[in-house]
Amino acid sequence: MSAGSGGLQLASERYGSGGFWNYRLEGTEIRRQREGPGGHTGTGLRNLFKSVFLPQGFPESVSTDYLQYQLWDTAQAFCSSLSGTLATQASLRGVGVGNQEATVAAATATWILRDGTGMLGRILFAWRKGTKLDSEAKKWRLFADVLNDIAMFMEILAQFFPTFFLLIICTAGVFKSIVGVAGGATRAALTVHQARRDNMADISAKDGSQETLVNLAGLLVSLLLIPLITDNAPLTLLLFTLFTVLHLVSNFKAVRAVIMETFNEARLEVVWQNFVQNQEILTPREANEMEPVFSWFSGTAPIRLGVSLQQLIHSPEEFERMTKLGQERRYLIGVRNGSVCVCLLLGASVRDEFKAMCHALSLRRLLSERHKDNIQGHWNLVDESQKLVEKYFDPFMKSLAETQWETNRNLLDWDEWRIQIKCKSN
């Protein structure tokens, strides 16, 4: 204990980074006093807002990019809410709202068909692309928002094509169902990144509160817009274009604000190639800024990880050549049908996964530079890339361990096939 100008100090406490208080004995009473600059953090509208809409322990309980991402995400959600109002009004007009000749049964049937096709689209998309959403969350987040804008644009235009109205509205329903899967799944992946205290549920709940608040604001603005856009197609299209541009810009800024410390294919390629060329490790911020988020048509050979053995080997000679070093490096690698294919051996570690991916990235780069089309050329490039990996991989992993990069897990898109070599062919 210490005695100061306010009496004998008994204890002190702090609430995160929000404030610091001292407890002092003054006569027969214990008094609590705020120390340092600033007002009380436990009262006031500002603190009520923080407790309602931000995770407990903010900012220490979340990633450093949380606030910037949420600000841009809020902006895009507001624009999307306004665009959705325009699309909804157009859809209602298309199914006959306000038209005395339209029947309730026809409108109901249209809505049921739209919802039914959307449900099928949701199932099919989750089946085909579900495993990609974790490893490429940024790219699929942008994809979802672009597709959502396309779907709303189709809903606005559908009323002008009554003959094809049902087809257009059902297609838009499929697109929106895909948006629901991709948007929800990638948001969950980003929540995993943002959570720093195993507080995913809290972050997700507060994100829902933020989105609800934004939608309420959007509804209020929409009430002002509806009288202006009713029976005014040019103004509807103009406002929709404006909101869409702002929506897409905000989404791009939001995903660019995310700084993930876990490797996916794109981030690992950026960091690995820079290390091979300069023997320097890029920081997570530098790599995330260089990560492509529109790499849909890169023109390079795709990399397929964790494939079945039959997808890679078609002859005893190929098996003998691939397994020559396979036991030591815990994976097999080759080129098949224009793709770099990797088979992972049973018992391979996360480090083996990193090494296999670095090998595949080096092989793809050599393929792109040499433009080899014959199988013999491919084997030479496999050997050349192997030497490159053996030279740089150990220093690369040692350097990563000294940075903020996470190396005990990864977001590489591995399939589930694992092989066990019994013996080598003769």
Side-chain angles (χ1 to χ4, degrees), residues 300-301 335 361-374 376-388:
T300 57
V335 179
L361 292 170
S362 299
L363 177 56
R364 180 170 68 180
R365 187 176 184 86
L366 291 176
L367 284 169
S368 177
E369 292 173 350
R370 311 291 175 82
H371 303 288
K372 296 287 186 178
D373 296 320
N374 59 82
Q376 185 62 41
H378 286 162
W379 286 122
N380 291 338
L381 294 183
V382 170
D383 293 339
E384 186 175 343
S385 58
Q386 170 71 25
K387 295 177 183 177
L388 191 69

Side-chain angles (χ1 to χ4, degrees), residues 175-186:
F175 287 174
K176 282 196 169 183
S177 68
I178 293 174
V179 170
V181 175
T186 53

Side-chain angles (χ1 to χ4, degrees), residues 72-83 141-150 152 179 240-254:
W72 285 114
D73 190 55
T74 298
Q76 70 85 19
F78 181 73
C79 295
S80 181
S81 177
L82 297 179
S83 298
R141 184 76 177 175
L142 275 180
F143 169 84
D145 288 299
V146 171
L147 192 62
N148 188 49
D149 290 333
I150 293 174
M152 289 190 290
V179 170
F240 178 79
T241 301
L242 174 62
F243 296 148
T244 298
V245 171
L246 294 175
H247 177 241
L248 294 177
V249 170
S250 298
N251 269 292
F252 181 77
K253 292 287 188 179

Side-chain angles (χ1 to χ4, degrees), residues 65 69 132-146 182-183 185-187 189-190 193 251-262 264 266-267 284-296 405 411:
D65 55 18
Y69 172 83
K132 300 285 187 181
L133 301 179
D134 279 305
S135 59
E136 299 175 334
K138 294 183 185 181
K139 184 165 73 174
W140 285 105
R141 184 76 177 175
L142 275 180
F143 169 84
D145 288 299
V146 171
T186 53
R187 185 66 191 96
L190 293 176
H193 156 70
N251 269 292
F252 181 77
K253 292 287 188 179
V255 297
R256 276 302 187 198
V258 176
I259 304 172
M260 304 190 78
E261 299 88 4
T262 310
N264 64 358
R267 290 189 289 274
R285 178 177 293 276
E286 292 170 336
N288 277 266
E289 290 175 351
M290 297 171 64
E291 178 187 3
V293 291
F294 287 112
S295 58
W296 298 102
W405 286 107
L411 294 176

Side-chain angles (χ1 to χ4, degrees), residues 52-119:
V52 173
F53 294 105
L54 294 175
Q56 180 178 323
F58 173 86
E60 289 83 2
S61 62
V62 295
S63 58
T64 56
D65 55 18
Y66 176 85
L67 186 59
Q68 186 177 1
Y69 172 83
Q70 292 301 127
L71 290 175
W72 285 114
D73 190 55
T74 298
Q76 70 85 19
F78 181 73
C79 295
S80 181
S81 177
L82 297 179
S83 298
T85 298
L86 303 178
T88 299
Q89 189 203 46
S91 296
L92 291 174
R93 181 175 294 276
V95 298
V97 174
N99 186 353
Q100 295 180 353
E101 299 179 358
T103 64
V104 174
T108 303
T110 300
W111 228 252
I112 290 174
L113 288 173
R114 189 196 72 160
D115 290 346
T117 53
M119 292 174 187

